[in-house]
Amino acid sequence: MALIFYARVSSKGQNLDRQLARAKQVKADKIFTDKFSGKTTDRPGLKKLLGFIREGDTVEVISLDRLSRNYQDIQHLVQKFKDLKVKLIVDDLPQTNTGNNLVDQFMLDMMINLMGFVAQNEREKIKERQRQGIEQAKKHGAYKGRAKKYAANSNDREGRLVFEGIKRDYQTNNYKSKTELARKYGISRQQLYRILKLI
């Protein structure tokens, strides 16, 4: 019977330190991590966790939204744990110990349902606020859209180098075909056409 800890942040720029400190504190036997959005369960760390767990194991997360921000996905994962007879511990949900396992499970299910709904509802609100913000920015001519990877002012160093290389080859006619140019820089033809449009 192993204690398995699952930690997740939404992007590569965020860090897992707080969650990993908790995993160390509870002396987790195994830790799985992801740096992916919670809007999908198609995450490598979560997939490995689901392939690893066995009957009698315990899965711990600091909060339910680490598993997912999608209500149905949370329901599906919790049911999967139940089917495998794997216990779920959610640190920010109170643990009930009435002495009656059925009552304890019922209370946990109720809290998970509520918190799962809250997690998805919060995600929907964030998306709506983003949409409204973009609309307002467009009205004022301030919306630039998503930053381009392949551009002269890209934040991505590799993206800038690819852009400059293509620009140089294109302006000096140093290529036989656009397909060959795209292949040379390891990008798709669609990406190449977008870069050429910028140039």
Side-chain angles (χ1 to χ4, degrees):
M1 294 194 297
L3 172 59
I4 298 121
F5 200 94
Y6 178 69
R8 180 189 70 80
V9 288
S10 297
S11 67
K12 290 180 179 176
Q14 296 174 306
N15 72 62
L16 294 157
D17 295 354
R18 184 172 70 93
Q19 294 174 69
L20 296 178
R22 175 63 181 163
K24 191 175 179 182
Q25 185 185 5
V26 297
K27 296 181 172 62
D29 300 299
K30 187 83 177 166
I31 301 167
F32 293 95
T33 64
D34 275 314
K35 289 193 173 189
F36 276 91
S37 166
K39 67 184 177 186
T40 174
T41 55
D42 187 18
R43 293 172 247 140
L46 183 61
K47 284 180 177 176
K48 285 177 189 170
L49 179 145
L50 294 172
F52 180 85
I53 52 176
R54 299 289 179 266
E55 184 177 332
D57 286 346
T58 299
V59 171
E60 184 169 349
V61 289
I62 63 162
S63 61
L64 201 58
D65 63 4
R66 297 305 87 200
L67 280 179
S68 178
R69 285 190 175 273
N70 179 292
Y71 182 66
Q72 286 179 323
D73 286 344
I74 289 171
Q75 299 280 21
H76 175 73
L77 287 167
V78 169
Q79 190 57 53
K80 192 172 183 73
F81 293 148
K82 279 186 195 171
D83 293 345
L84 291 168
K85 295 183 172 61
V86 168
K87 184 181 177 186
L88 174 64
I89 294 175
V90 182
D91 289 345
D92 66 358
L93 290 183
Q95 299 298 309
T96 53
N97 294 295
T98 62
N100 183 326
N101 287 341
L102 193 61
V103 171
D104 289 348
Q105 189 59 56
F106 171 73
M107 296 291 283
L108 182 63
D109 288 349
M110 218 165 53
M111 285 186 283
I112 284 171
N113 281 329
L114 177 62
M115 295 308 289
F117 169 77
V118 168
Q120 177 156 348
N121 192 44
E122 182 56 29
R123 186 170 163 264
E124 296 298 329
K125 282 181 181 174
I126 289 167
K127 279 165 66 180
E128 180 58 20
R129 286 195 295 266
Q130 284 174 334
R131 188 189 64 76
Q132 289 172 352
I134 288 168
E135 274 182 20
Q136 288 300 314
K138 279 180 178 175
K139 280 180 188 173
H140 297 97
Y143 183 65
K144 303 282 192 292
R146 187 181 294 175
K148 291 178 174 63
K149 180 178 179 181
Y150 302 110
N153 60 349
S154 172
N155 292 329
D156 186 299
R157 183 177 175 274
E158 183 190 337
R160 283 196 311 275
L161 291 173
V162 167
F163 178 84
E164 292 303 333
I166 289 170
K167 184 179 178 183
R168 186 175 55 249
D169 287 351
Y170 182 68
Q171 289 177 338
T172 59
N173 260 348
N174 185 26
Y175 66 99
K176 289 178 184 169
S177 69
K178 287 176 181 163
T179 302
E180 182 212 48
L181 191 58
R183 195 178 298 124
K184 177 181 176 181
Y185 288 96
I187 60 171
S188 70
R189 281 178 61 183
Q190 287 84 358
Q191 286 172 317
L192 176 68
Y193 291 134
R194 284 197 288 269
I195 291 168
L196 294 180
K197 201 173 174 184
L198 285 174
I199 294 167

PDB file of all heavy atoms in Angstrom, residues 170-198:
ATOM      1  N   TYR A 170      15.205  34.209 -47.483  1.00  0.00           N
ATOM      2  CA  TYR A 170      14.117  34.636 -48.369  1.00  0.00           C
ATOM      3  C   TYR A 170      14.504  35.902 -49.146  1.00  0.00           C
ATOM      4  O   TYR A 170      14.297  35.992 -50.359  1.00  0.00           O
ATOM      5  CB  TYR A 170      12.851  34.875 -47.541  1.00  0.00           C
ATOM      6  CG  TYR A 170      11.647  35.278 -48.361  1.00  0.00           C
ATOM      7  CD1 TYR A 170      11.040  34.374 -49.239  1.00  0.00           C
ATOM      8  CD2 TYR A 170      11.112  36.563 -48.259  1.00  0.00           C
ATOM      9  CE1 TYR A 170       9.927  34.735 -49.990  1.00  0.00           C
ATOM     10  CE2 TYR A 170      10.001  36.939 -49.013  1.00  0.00           C
ATOM     11  CZ  TYR A 170       9.413  36.017 -49.877  1.00  0.00           C
ATOM     12  OH  TYR A 170       8.317  36.377 -50.612  1.00  0.00           O
ATOM     13  N   GLN A 171      15.092  36.857 -48.442  1.00  0.00           N
ATOM     14  CA  GLN A 171      15.437  38.137 -49.086  1.00  0.00           C
ATOM     15  C   GLN A 171      16.629  38.019 -50.032  1.00  0.00           C
ATOM     16  O   GLN A 171      16.787  38.825 -50.935  1.00  0.00           O
ATOM     17  CB  GLN A 171      15.687  39.207 -48.014  1.00  0.00           C
ATOM     18  CG  GLN A 171      14.399  39.625 -47.317  1.00  0.00           C
ATOM     19  CD  GLN A 171      14.613  40.633 -46.194  1.00  0.00           C
ATOM     20  OE1 GLN A 171      15.706  40.745 -45.635  1.00  0.00           O
ATOM     21  NE2 GLN A 171      13.567  41.356 -45.847  1.00  0.00           N
ATOM     22  N   THR A 172      17.473  36.998 -49.789  1.00  0.00           N
ATOM     23  CA  THR A 172      18.627  36.801 -50.688  1.00  0.00           C
ATOM     24  C   THR A 172      18.374  35.674 -51.697  1.00  0.00           C
ATOM     25  O   THR A 172      19.285  35.244 -52.395  1.00  0.00           O
ATOM     26  CB  THR A 172      19.904  36.477 -49.867  1.00  0.00           C
ATOM     27  OG1 THR A 172      19.659  35.288 -49.091  1.00  0.00           O
ATOM     28  CG2 THR A 172      20.290  37.612 -48.954  1.00  0.00           C
ATOM     29  N   ASN A 173      17.139  35.177 -51.724  1.00  0.00           N
ATOM     30  CA  ASN A 173      16.753  34.082 -52.630  1.00  0.00           C
ATOM     31  C   ASN A 173      17.596  32.819 -52.429  1.00  0.00           C
ATOM     32  O   ASN A 173      17.874  32.092 -53.380  1.00  0.00           O
ATOM     33  CB  ASN A 173      16.856  34.518 -54.102  1.00  0.00           C
ATOM     34  CG  ASN A 173      15.515  34.896 -54.667  1.00  0.00           C
ATOM     35  OD1 ASN A 173      14.480  34.631 -54.042  1.00  0.00           O
ATOM     36  ND2 ASN A 173      15.507  35.521 -55.821  1.00  0.00           N
ATOM     37  N   ASN A 174      17.992  32.581 -51.195  1.00  0.00           N
ATOM     38  CA  ASN A 174      18.857  31.447 -50.875  1.00  0.00           C
ATOM     39  C   ASN A 174      18.019  30.204 -50.548  1.00  0.00           C
ATOM     40  O   ASN A 174      18.109  29.647 -49.469  1.00  0.00           O
ATOM     41  CB  ASN A 174      19.779  31.822 -49.701  1.00  0.00           C
ATOM     42  CG  ASN A 174      20.784  30.722 -49.403  1.00  0.00           C
ATOM     43  OD1 ASN A 174      21.144  29.941 -50.281  1.00  0.00           O
ATOM     44  ND2 ASN A 174      21.216  30.657 -48.145  1.00  0.00           N
ATOM     45  N   TYR A 175      17.164  29.799 -51.476  1.00  0.00           N
ATOM     46  CA  TYR A 175      16.358  28.589 -51.298  1.00  0.00           C
ATOM     47  C   TYR A 175      15.812  28.150 -52.653  1.00  0.00           C
ATOM     48  O   TYR A 175      15.639  28.964 -53.554  1.00  0.00           O
ATOM     49  CB  TYR A 175      15.217  28.853 -50.311  1.00  0.00           C
ATOM     50  CG  TYR A 175      14.177  29.832 -50.793  1.00  0.00           C
ATOM     51  CD1 TYR A 175      12.974  29.405 -51.347  1.00  0.00           C
ATOM     52  CD2 TYR A 175      14.396  31.214 -50.707  1.00  0.00           C
ATOM     53  CE1 TYR A 175      12.033  30.313 -51.803  1.00  0.00           C
ATOM     54  CE2 TYR A 175      13.457  32.126 -51.148  1.00  0.00           C
ATOM     55  CZ  TYR A 175      12.274  31.670 -51.704  1.00  0.00           C
ATOM     56  OH  TYR A 175      11.336  32.564 -52.159  1.00  0.00           O
ATOM     57  N   LYS A 176      15.545  26.830 -52.786  1.00  0.00           N
ATOM     58  CA  LYS A 176      15.039  26.293 -54.053  1.00  0.00           C
ATOM     59  C   LYS A 176      13.509  26.316 -54.071  1.00  0.00           C
ATOM     60  O   LYS A 176      12.908  26.577 -55.101  1.00  0.00           O
ATOM     61  CB  LYS A 176      15.540  24.864 -54.248  1.00  0.00           C
ATOM     62  CG  LYS A 176      17.034  24.798 -54.545  1.00  0.00           C
ATOM     63  CD  LYS A 176      17.492  23.358 -54.672  1.00  0.00           C
ATOM     64  CE  LYS A 176      19.005  23.303 -54.862  1.00  0.00           C
ATOM     65  NZ  LYS A 176      19.522  21.933 -54.734  1.00  0.00           N
ATOM     66  N   SER A 177      12.921  25.983 -52.903  1.00  0.00           N
ATOM     67  CA  SER A 177      11.457  25.976 -52.814  1.00  0.00           C
ATOM     68  C   SER A 177      11.059  26.311 -51.379  1.00  0.00           C
ATOM     69  O   SER A 177      11.866  26.205 -50.449  1.00  0.00           O
ATOM     70  CB  SER A 177      10.895  24.603 -53.185  1.00  0.00           C
ATOM     71  OG  SER A 177      11.241  23.661 -52.187  1.00  0.00           O
ATOM     72  N   LYS A 178       9.819  26.722 -51.208  1.00  0.00           N
ATOM     73  CA  LYS A 178       9.338  27.047 -49.865  1.00  0.00           C
ATOM     74  C   LYS A 178       9.274  25.803 -48.989  1.00  0.00           C
ATOM     75  O   LYS A 178       9.515  25.856 -47.781  1.00  0.00           O
ATOM     76  CB  LYS A 178       7.981  27.748 -49.951  1.00  0.00           C
ATOM     77  CG  LYS A 178       8.138  29.177 -50.457  1.00  0.00           C
ATOM     78  CD  LYS A 178       6.826  29.866 -50.650  1.00  0.00           C
ATOM     79  CE  LYS A 178       7.088  31.281 -51.171  1.00  0.00           C
ATOM     80  NZ  LYS A 178       5.918  31.899 -51.751  1.00  0.00           N
ATOM     81  N   THR A 179       8.987  24.669 -49.616  1.00  0.00           N
ATOM     82  CA  THR A 179       8.956  23.395 -48.866  1.00  0.00           C
ATOM     83  C   THR A 179      10.339  23.106 -48.292  1.00  0.00           C
ATOM     84  O   THR A 179      10.482  22.720 -47.131  1.00  0.00           O
ATOM     85  CB  THR A 179       8.512  22.233 -49.792  1.00  0.00           C
ATOM     86  OG1 THR A 179       7.225  22.548 -50.325  1.00  0.00           O
ATOM     87  CG2 THR A 179       8.440  20.920 -49.039  1.00  0.00           C
ATOM     88  N   GLU A 180      11.371  23.302 -49.135  1.00  0.00           N
ATOM     89  CA  GLU A 180      12.759  23.073 -48.695  1.00  0.00           C
ATOM     90  C   GLU A 180      13.139  24.061 -47.579  1.00  0.00           C
ATOM     91  O   GLU A 180      13.793  23.689 -46.609  1.00  0.00           O
ATOM     92  CB  GLU A 180      13.698  23.241 -49.883  1.00  0.00           C
ATOM     93  CG  GLU A 180      15.157  22.974 -49.546  1.00  0.00           C
ATOM     94  CD  GLU A 180      16.121  23.823 -50.369  1.00  0.00           C
ATOM     95  OE1 GLU A 180      15.895  25.056 -50.466  1.00  0.00           O
ATOM     96  OE2 GLU A 180      17.082  23.264 -50.863  1.00  0.00           O
ATOM     97  N   LEU A 181      12.672  25.295 -47.714  1.00  0.00           N
ATOM     98  CA  LEU A 181      12.968  26.331 -46.706  1.00  0.00           C
ATOM     99  C   LEU A 181      12.340  25.968 -45.359  1.00  0.00           C
ATOM    100  O   LEU A 181      12.981  26.085 -44.315  1.00  0.00           O
ATOM    101  CB  LEU A 181      12.459  27.688 -47.201  1.00  0.00           C
ATOM    102  CG  LEU A 181      12.892  28.938 -46.419  1.00  0.00           C
ATOM    103  CD1 LEU A 181      14.408  29.066 -46.377  1.00  0.00           C
ATOM    104  CD2 LEU A 181      12.277  30.186 -47.030  1.00  0.00           C
ATOM    105  N   ALA A 182      11.105  25.503 -45.423  1.00  0.00           N
ATOM    106  CA  ALA A 182      10.412  25.091 -44.189  1.00  0.00           C
ATOM    107  C   ALA A 182      11.132  23.910 -43.553  1.00  0.00           C
ATOM    108  O   ALA A 182      11.352  23.882 -42.333  1.00  0.00           O
ATOM    109  CB  ALA A 182       8.961  24.731 -44.501  1.00  0.00           C
ATOM    110  N   ARG A 183      11.541  22.946 -44.379  1.00  0.00           N
ATOM    111  CA  ARG A 183      12.229  21.753 -43.871  1.00  0.00           C
ATOM    112  C   ARG A 183      13.572  22.122 -43.240  1.00  0.00           C
ATOM    113  O   ARG A 183      13.959  21.577 -42.213  1.00  0.00           O
ATOM    114  CB  ARG A 183      12.427  20.756 -45.013  1.00  0.00           C
ATOM    115  CG  ARG A 183      12.791  19.356 -44.539  1.00  0.00           C
ATOM    116  CD  ARG A 183      12.932  18.362 -45.680  1.00  0.00           C
ATOM    117  NE  ARG A 183      11.687  18.187 -46.410  1.00  0.00           N
ATOM    118  CZ  ARG A 183      11.557  18.368 -47.731  1.00  0.00           C
ATOM    119  NH1 ARG A 183      12.602  18.730 -48.466  1.00  0.00           N
ATOM    120  NH2 ARG A 183      10.405  18.190 -48.322  1.00  0.00           N
ATOM    121  N   LYS A 184      14.276  23.060 -43.880  1.00  0.00           N
ATOM    122  CA  LYS A 184      15.590  23.495 -43.377  1.00  0.00           C
ATOM    123  C   LYS A 184      15.497  24.003 -41.941  1.00  0.00           C
ATOM    124  O   LYS A 184      16.374  23.751 -41.115  1.00  0.00           O
ATOM    125  CB  LYS A 184      16.148  24.590 -44.289  1.00  0.00           C
ATOM    126  CG  LYS A 184      17.478  25.167 -43.819  1.00  0.00           C
ATOM    127  CD  LYS A 184      17.977  26.276 -44.735  1.00  0.00           C
ATOM    128  CE  LYS A 184      19.245  26.905 -44.213  1.00  0.00           C
ATOM    129  NZ  LYS A 184      19.720  28.001 -45.086  1.00  0.00           N
ATOM    130  N   TYR A 185      14.409  24.730 -41.637  1.00  0.00           N
ATOM    131  CA  TYR A 185      14.264  25.318 -40.302  1.00  0.00           C
ATOM    132  C   TYR A 185      13.351  24.506 -39.369  1.00  0.00           C
ATOM    133  O   TYR A 185      13.044  24.931 -38.259  1.00  0.00           O
ATOM    134  CB  TYR A 185      13.765  26.760 -40.420  1.00  0.00           C
ATOM    135  CG  TYR A 185      14.848  27.670 -40.955  1.00  0.00           C
ATOM    136  CD1 TYR A 185      14.916  27.975 -42.312  1.00  0.00           C
ATOM    137  CD2 TYR A 185      15.831  28.190 -40.120  1.00  0.00           C
ATOM    138  CE1 TYR A 185      15.923  28.792 -42.814  1.00  0.00           C
ATOM    139  CE2 TYR A 185      16.842  28.998 -40.614  1.00  0.00           C
ATOM    140  CZ  TYR A 185      16.883  29.296 -41.958  1.00  0.00           C
ATOM    141  OH  TYR A 185      17.889  30.101 -42.448  1.00  0.00           O
ATOM    142  N   GLY A 186      12.915  23.338 -39.845  1.00  0.00           N
ATOM    143  CA  GLY A 186      12.137  22.435 -38.990  1.00  0.00           C
ATOM    144  C   GLY A 186      10.762  22.954 -38.619  1.00  0.00           C
ATOM    145  O   GLY A 186      10.291  22.735 -37.500  1.00  0.00           O
ATOM    146  N   ILE A 187      10.124  23.647 -39.567  1.00  0.00           N
ATOM    147  CA  ILE A 187       8.771  24.164 -39.308  1.00  0.00           C
ATOM    148  C   ILE A 187       7.832  23.701 -40.413  1.00  0.00           C
ATOM    149  O   ILE A 187       8.284  23.219 -41.458  1.00  0.00           O
ATOM    150  CB  ILE A 187       8.747  25.710 -39.215  1.00  0.00           C
ATOM    151  CG1 ILE A 187       9.243  26.349 -40.524  1.00  0.00           C
ATOM    152  CG2 ILE A 187       9.554  26.209 -38.029  1.00  0.00           C
ATOM    153  CD1 ILE A 187       9.062  27.844 -40.608  1.00  0.00           C
ATOM    154  N   SER A 188       6.535  23.849 -40.185  1.00  0.00           N
ATOM    155  CA  SER A 188       5.557  23.458 -41.210  1.00  0.00           C
ATOM    156  C   SER A 188       5.466  24.553 -42.278  1.00  0.00           C
ATOM    157  O   SER A 188       5.885  25.686 -42.049  1.00  0.00           O
ATOM    158  CB  SER A 188       4.187  23.244 -40.565  1.00  0.00           C
ATOM    159  OG  SER A 188       3.645  24.485 -40.136  1.00  0.00           O
ATOM    160  N   ARG A 189       4.867  24.196 -43.413  1.00  0.00           N
ATOM    161  CA  ARG A 189       4.704  25.188 -44.487  1.00  0.00           C
ATOM    162  C   ARG A 189       3.751  26.297 -44.053  1.00  0.00           C
ATOM    163  O   ARG A 189       3.941  27.458 -44.411  1.00  0.00           O
ATOM    164  CB  ARG A 189       4.187  24.499 -45.753  1.00  0.00           C
ATOM    165  CG  ARG A 189       5.307  23.779 -46.503  1.00  0.00           C
ATOM    166  CD  ARG A 189       4.816  23.056 -47.717  1.00  0.00           C
ATOM    167  NE  ARG A 189       4.219  23.964 -48.683  1.00  0.00           N
ATOM    168  CZ  ARG A 189       3.655  23.559 -49.832  1.00  0.00           C
ATOM    169  NH1 ARG A 189       3.627  22.273 -50.123  1.00  0.00           N
ATOM    170  NH2 ARG A 189       3.127  24.426 -50.665  1.00  0.00           N
ATOM    171  N   GLN A 190       2.732  25.932 -43.258  1.00  0.00           N
ATOM    172  CA  GLN A 190       1.792  26.944 -42.754  1.00  0.00           C
ATOM    173  C   GLN A 190       2.520  27.976 -41.894  1.00  0.00           C
ATOM    174  O   GLN A 190       2.279  29.186 -42.012  1.00  0.00           O
ATOM    175  CB  GLN A 190       0.672  26.286 -41.930  1.00  0.00           C
ATOM    176  CG  GLN A 190      -0.339  25.525 -42.762  1.00  0.00           C
ATOM    177  CD  GLN A 190       0.111  24.105 -43.095  1.00  0.00           C
ATOM    178  OE1 GLN A 190       1.206  23.690 -42.730  1.00  0.00           O
ATOM    179  NE2 GLN A 190      -0.723  23.376 -43.811  1.00  0.00           N
ATOM    180  N   GLN A 191       3.443  27.468 -41.028  1.00  0.00           N
ATOM    181  CA  GLN A 191       4.223  28.383 -40.190  1.00  0.00           C
ATOM    182  C   GLN A 191       5.119  29.267 -41.061  1.00  0.00           C
ATOM    183  O   GLN A 191       5.270  30.454 -40.795  1.00  0.00           O
ATOM    184  CB  GLN A 191       5.078  27.583 -39.191  1.00  0.00           C
ATOM    185  CG  GLN A 191       4.266  26.988 -38.052  1.00  0.00           C
ATOM    186  CD  GLN A 191       5.103  26.054 -37.199  1.00  0.00           C
ATOM    187  OE1 GLN A 191       5.889  25.246 -37.692  1.00  0.00           O
ATOM    188  NE2 GLN A 191       4.941  26.160 -35.885  1.00  0.00           N
ATOM    189  N   LEU A 192       5.703  28.654 -42.095  1.00  0.00           N
ATOM    190  CA  LEU A 192       6.570  29.418 -43.005  1.00  0.00           C
ATOM    191  C   LEU A 192       5.781  30.548 -43.676  1.00  0.00           C
ATOM    192  O   LEU A 192       6.246  31.683 -43.729  1.00  0.00           O
ATOM    193  CB  LEU A 192       7.176  28.502 -44.074  1.00  0.00           C
ATOM    194  CG  LEU A 192       8.022  29.231 -45.134  1.00  0.00           C
ATOM    195  CD1 LEU A 192       9.309  29.786 -44.530  1.00  0.00           C
ATOM    196  CD2 LEU A 192       8.347  28.316 -46.305  1.00  0.00           C
ATOM    197  N   TYR A 193       4.573  30.238 -44.148  1.00  0.00           N
ATOM    198  CA  TYR A 193       3.760  31.260 -44.813  1.00  0.00           C
ATOM    199  C   TYR A 193       3.408  32.404 -43.864  1.00  0.00           C
ATOM    200  O   TYR A 193       3.381  33.566 -44.275  1.00  0.00           O
ATOM    201  CB  TYR A 193       2.490  30.644 -45.415  1.00  0.00           C
ATOM    202  CG  TYR A 193       2.770  29.738 -46.592  1.00  0.00           C
ATOM    203  CD1 TYR A 193       2.162  28.485 -46.689  1.00  0.00           C
ATOM    204  CD2 TYR A 193       3.651  30.133 -47.602  1.00  0.00           C
ATOM    205  CE1 TYR A 193       2.429  27.655 -47.770  1.00  0.00           C
ATOM    206  CE2 TYR A 193       3.908  29.298 -48.686  1.00  0.00           C
ATOM    207  CZ  TYR A 193       3.297  28.058 -48.764  1.00  0.00           C
ATOM    208  OH  TYR A 193       3.566  27.247 -49.829  1.00  0.00           O
ATOM    209  N   ARG A 194       3.163  32.059 -42.595  1.00  0.00           N
ATOM    210  CA  ARG A 194       2.872  33.116 -41.601  1.00  0.00           C
ATOM    211  C   ARG A 194       4.090  34.000 -41.388  1.00  0.00           C
ATOM    212  O   ARG A 194       3.967  35.219 -41.243  1.00  0.00           O
ATOM    213  CB  ARG A 194       2.398  32.485 -40.273  1.00  0.00           C
ATOM    214  CG  ARG A 194       0.957  31.992 -40.325  1.00  0.00           C
ATOM    215  CD  ARG A 194       0.396  31.759 -38.939  1.00  0.00           C
ATOM    216  NE  ARG A 194       0.977  30.580 -38.309  1.00  0.00           N
ATOM    217  CZ  ARG A 194       0.457  29.357 -38.409  1.00  0.00           C
ATOM    218  NH1 ARG A 194      -0.651  29.140 -39.104  1.00  0.00           N
ATOM    219  NH2 ARG A 194       1.028  28.350 -37.798  1.00  0.00           N
ATOM    220  N   ILE A 195       5.281  33.386 -41.364  1.00  0.00           N
ATOM    221  CA  ILE A 195       6.523  34.153 -41.188  1.00  0.00           C
ATOM    222  C   ILE A 195       6.771  35.049 -42.404  1.00  0.00           C
ATOM    223  O   ILE A 195       7.106  36.224 -42.251  1.00  0.00           O
ATOM    224  CB  ILE A 195       7.733  33.184 -40.966  1.00  0.00           C
ATOM    225  CG1 ILE A 195       7.596  32.489 -39.611  1.00  0.00           C
ATOM    226  CG2 ILE A 195       9.055  33.936 -41.047  1.00  0.00           C
ATOM    227  CD1 ILE A 195       8.543  31.319 -39.398  1.00  0.00           C
ATOM    228  N   LEU A 196       6.558  34.492 -43.602  1.00  0.00           N
ATOM    229  CA  LEU A 196       6.774  35.277 -44.825  1.00  0.00           C
ATOM    230  C   LEU A 196       5.813  36.443 -44.915  1.00  0.00           C
ATOM    231  O   LEU A 196       6.168  37.520 -45.408  1.00  0.00           O
ATOM    232  CB  LEU A 196       6.623  34.382 -46.073  1.00  0.00           C
ATOM    233  CG  LEU A 196       7.683  33.280 -46.232  1.00  0.00           C
ATOM    234  CD1 LEU A 196       7.426  32.468 -47.492  1.00  0.00           C
ATOM    235  CD2 LEU A 196       9.099  33.854 -46.246  1.00  0.00           C
ATOM    236  N   LYS A 197       4.599  36.249 -44.382  1.00  0.00           N
ATOM    237  CA  LYS A 197       3.619  37.338 -44.358  1.00  0.00           C
ATOM    238  C   LYS A 197       4.124  38.493 -43.464  1.00  0.00           C
ATOM    239  O   LYS A 197       3.975  39.664 -43.792  1.00  0.00           O
ATOM    240  CB  LYS A 197       2.289  36.800 -43.804  1.00  0.00           C
ATOM    241  CG  LYS A 197       1.089  37.639 -44.181  1.00  0.00           C
ATOM    242  CD  LYS A 197      -0.185  36.932 -43.746  1.00  0.00           C
ATOM    243  CE  LYS A 197      -1.373  37.829 -43.994  1.00  0.00           C
ATOM    244  NZ  LYS A 197      -2.623  37.224 -43.506  1.00  0.00           N
ATOM    245  N   LEU A 198       4.773  38.129 -42.338  1.00  0.00           N
ATOM    246  CA  LEU A 198       5.356  39.140 -41.440  1.00  0.00           C
ATOM    247  C   LEU A 198       6.508  39.885 -42.117  1.00  0.00           C
ATOM    248  O   LEU A 198       6.675  41.071 -41.954  1.00  0.00           O
ATOM    249  CB  LEU A 198       5.865  38.487 -40.154  1.00  0.00           C
ATOM    250  CG  LEU A 198       4.833  38.053 -39.104  1.00  0.00           C
ATOM    251  CD1 LEU A 198       5.520  37.313 -37.983  1.00  0.00           C
ATOM    252  CD2 LEU A 198       4.070  39.248 -38.567  1.00  0.00           C
TER     253      LEU A 198
END
